[in-house]
Amino acid sequence: MTTGLWELLFKGLWVTVQLTVFSAALAGVIAFAAGLARLSRFWIVRFVAGAYVEFFRGTSALVLMFWLFFALPLLGWQLAALWAGTLALGLSYGAYGSEVVRGAIRAVPVAQREAAIALSFTPWQRMRLVILPQAVPEMVPPFCNLLIELLKGTALASILGIGELAFGAQLVRLATGQSAEVYGIILAMYFVVAFVITRGMRLLERRAKASVGRVPRPDLTSAKRVPPGAVDTGVGTVGGGSR
């Protein structure tokens, strides 16, 4: 491929990264807002949040993109293709993320809530100082999965003519006729971005757990094995058994 075609692919990659970041930011805000709303004391708040989650979790992100880009202008609102795609992905994945938030908060032991009440914390203080610091580390792994799914979901935006990675690959394929090579390249690009996201989220998870005093579990597969009859001076065992 020529330099111009490579440049087209890298420009598409940059648009994909932008779309992922914007959509993830919107989805994160919605996930926390809807997840907390589903735990509200007021039934009307829980009902509205539940209706949002069920609707956007049960509809197609692609159809939502079409509606926002082609049908919404009929009501007097015109969105740019990039923002229509961002809004559709953010609303869809925010619904999934809200269940992650709700489940992680519900998983915090009741004793922690009772201790905060005994200390006369307000509901906001209980949530900010006691519950969320313990719930956030449990949210990170499922959020990592959702973020990678969101990255791959940005390919849907090519239907709107957004010049992201899949759209650029289609143009390059039409120009060169090399389908296997072009799509192999963008598969590798998606994998690299997903790998970076995974490593970053693992680092975030470790730091979140360390902030609340949780020590990562040791890797049992890498534990030192003691041959039969040998003495392990580190743990005081003979042949793998206790003295």
Side-chain angles (χ1 to χ4, degrees):
M1 293 192 301
T2 63
T3 304
L5 296 179
W6 278 105
E7 183 179 353
L8 186 61
L9 287 180
F10 281 108
K11 284 183 177 179
L13 178 61
W14 173 239
V15 175
T16 293
V17 171
Q18 286 181 303
L19 189 57
T20 301
V21 171
F22 295 153
S23 301
L26 176 60
V29 172
I30 293 175
F32 273 92
L36 294 174
R38 297 203 70 184
L39 300 172
S40 173
R41 296 178 298 169
F42 304 103
W43 72 268
I44 186 64
V45 177
R46 296 195 305 270
F47 176 79
V48 172
Y52 158 77
V53 171
E54 294 300 330
F55 178 78
F56 286 101
R57 192 171 56 178
T59 54
S60 168
L62 179 60
V63 176
L64 184 58
M65 285 184 192
F66 282 147
W67 193 89
L68 290 172
F69 190 65
F70 295 110
L72 193 60
L74 300 178
L75 303 178
W77 294 84
Q78 178 67 55
L79 293 177
L82 179 64
W83 299 118
T86 298
L87 186 58
L89 292 172
L91 290 172
S92 296
Y93 286 89
Y96 291 106
S98 67
E99 290 298 281
V100 173
V101 173
R102 183 174 71 92
I105 291 176
R106 292 290 294 271
V108 175
V110 178
Q112 299 292 322
R113 306 170 189 268
E114 294 174 346
I117 294 174
L119 293 172
S120 300
F121 283 5
T122 65
W124 167 244
Q125 288 176 324
R126 292 199 298 268
M127 183 62 67
R128 181 173 61 90
L129 301 175
V130 178
I131 298 174
L132 278 181
Q134 299 181 67
V136 167
E138 305 303 323
M139 299 178 194
V140 176
F143 272 156
C144 179
N145 290 335
L146 284 178
L147 188 54
I148 293 174
E149 287 296 323
L150 175 58
L151 168 68
K152 294 184 287 187
T154 58
L156 297 174
S158 63
I159 302 297
L160 303 182
I162 299 175
E164 46 76 60
L165 187 55
F167 186 83
Q170 177 67 6
L171 296 180
V172 174
R173 186 190 69 85
L174 293 175
T176 62
Q178 299 174 343
S179 300
E181 293 83 351
V182 172
Y183 287 120
I185 290 170
I186 68 167
L187 280 176
M189 288 181 171
Y190 277 117
F191 172 77
V192 169
V193 177
F195 184 80
V196 171
I197 290 173
T198 301
R199 292 301 176 183
M201 294 297 280
R202 286 183 180 176
L203 177 61
L204 179 61
E205 180 184 5
R206 287 197 297 269
R207 290 187 175 181
K209 288 184 176 180
S211 67
V212 293
R214 296 184 187 176
V215 180
R217 295 179 181 178
D219 186 3
L220 298 180
T221 60
S222 61
K224 182 169 59 175
R225 296 181 179 179
V226 181
V231 177
D232 185 354
T233 57
V235 296
T237 59
V238 177
S242 301
R243 284 184 181 271

